[in-house]
Amino acid sequence: MKKRIILLVLAAILLVLPLTACGKDTDVPKGMKKASNTEFYTMFVPEDWYVVETNSDVTLAQSKSNILGTTELEPVTVNAMFWSVDKELWGKDDEAQAAFYKKYEEDMKGTFSEFTHIETKESGYYTGAKEHTFGAKYGDIYYKYNMTVIIHNQIYYVITFNFPQSNLTKDADGNLKPSESFDKAEFEDSKYAGAIEDVVSNFKPEK
């Protein structure tokens, strides 16, 4: 089920074609490890996170924590992807940023129910980047997203943290009880504020 959720989340964030990848040597920040395996960018994650093999230039890592009393991997994830900026938007970063998020939101609304835009602001961790916060529902579970969009050399680099609802409960049969609405759902994104800062601030686009 959790693997299915991860795949659906990735699908909702658009698709990229696999590209030939090769590693590049970069100093690893303290307390972190290299998660990417591509020549197009370098991404680091906290050293206790689990890096998922995607066989592509998509980087995916997952935190380790308990959820609903289990010892399985909690589906708090971070992924990195990239796309080319349309040529007519080269050198127009504000327009390019707006165009990217508009298309992204349309795709999310077409895939998930109850899409909720929360905030868009300048990134506090990467100069010139935009940070978007939004929520969506899959099945009976709400998710909250923190997405940073970086533009570098006519490429969008997109880092997305995915937080599942944390106040999930079960009925007598062991099935999850859905929340009434997004504002009734709780998330642990504040707990991961340090991880967001570390991952985004240490992200390196193509050399």
Side-chain angles (χ1 to χ4, degrees):
M1 173 67 177
K2 291 181 179 177
K3 287 185 178 179
R4 184 183 177 195
I5 290 173
I6 291 171
L7 291 174
L8 283 165
V9 170
L10 287 175
I13 304 171
L14 306 178
L15 299 174
V16 293
L17 295 174
L19 300 171
T20 303
C22 63
K24 56 182 179 179
D25 295 328
T26 307
D27 292 335
V28 179
K30 183 178 180 180
M32 304 186 79
K33 65 183 178 183
K34 184 178 176 181
S36 55
N37 184 29
T38 172
E39 63 181 320
F40 300 99
Y41 62 84
T42 301
M43 179 178 176
F44 302 99
V45 298
E47 58 187 359
D48 61 344
W49 283 43
Y50 175 71
V51 179
V52 180
E53 179 57 59
T54 65
N55 296 313
S56 73
D57 288 309
V58 176
T59 298
L60 175 63
Q62 197 167 20
S63 69
K64 295 181 179 180
S65 180
N66 289 344
I67 187 169
L68 294 178
T70 74
T71 57
E72 298 178 7
L73 288 175
E74 177 184 5
V76 171
T77 62
V78 60
N79 66 72
M81 303 181 184
F82 65 95
W83 295 268
S84 297
V85 176
D86 290 342
K87 192 170 183 178
E88 60 268 24
L89 295 175
W90 287 6
K92 304 174 183 178
D93 286 3
D94 287 343
E95 292 182 37
Q97 286 277 5
F100 179 89
Y101 187 73
K102 179 181 179 181
K103 178 64 168 61
Y104 181 91
E105 184 172 302
E106 290 172 353
D107 289 339
M108 288 291 285
K109 288 180 177 179
T111 303
F112 291 101
S113 60
E114 298 185 39
F115 180 89
T116 303
H117 178 265
I118 300 171
E119 182 181 30
T120 292
K121 63 181 181 180
E122 297 292 326
S123 172
Y125 308 130
Y126 202 104
T127 303
K130 293 287 187 181
E131 181 181 306
H132 307 277
T133 307
F134 51 91
K137 187 178 184 182
Y138 170 68
D140 293 329
I141 302 175
Y142 286 99
Y143 292 86
K144 189 174 183 179
Y145 299 83
N146 178 286
M147 181 174 74
T148 300
V149 182
I150 299 165
I151 297 178
H152 176 78
N153 287 348
Q154 289 79 57
I155 299 291
Y156 293 112
Y157 295 91
V158 184
I159 306 166
T160 307
F161 280 82
N162 166 34
F163 301 97
Q165 184 178 345
S166 60
N167 61 330
L168 297 169
T169 57
K170 293 183 178 181
D171 60 23
D173 297 322
N175 300 313
L176 292 177
K177 292 182 179 180
S179 296
E180 295 177 10
S181 58
F182 181 79
D183 60 1
K184 300 293 184 182
E186 297 176 4
F187 306 91
E188 295 188 341
D189 48 310
S190 60
K191 171 183 171 182
Y192 292 89
I196 294 174
E197 179 177 3
D198 289 344
V199 171
V200 175
S201 63
N202 286 293
F203 185 86
K204 301 182 185 301
E206 63 175 338
K207 56 185 177 181

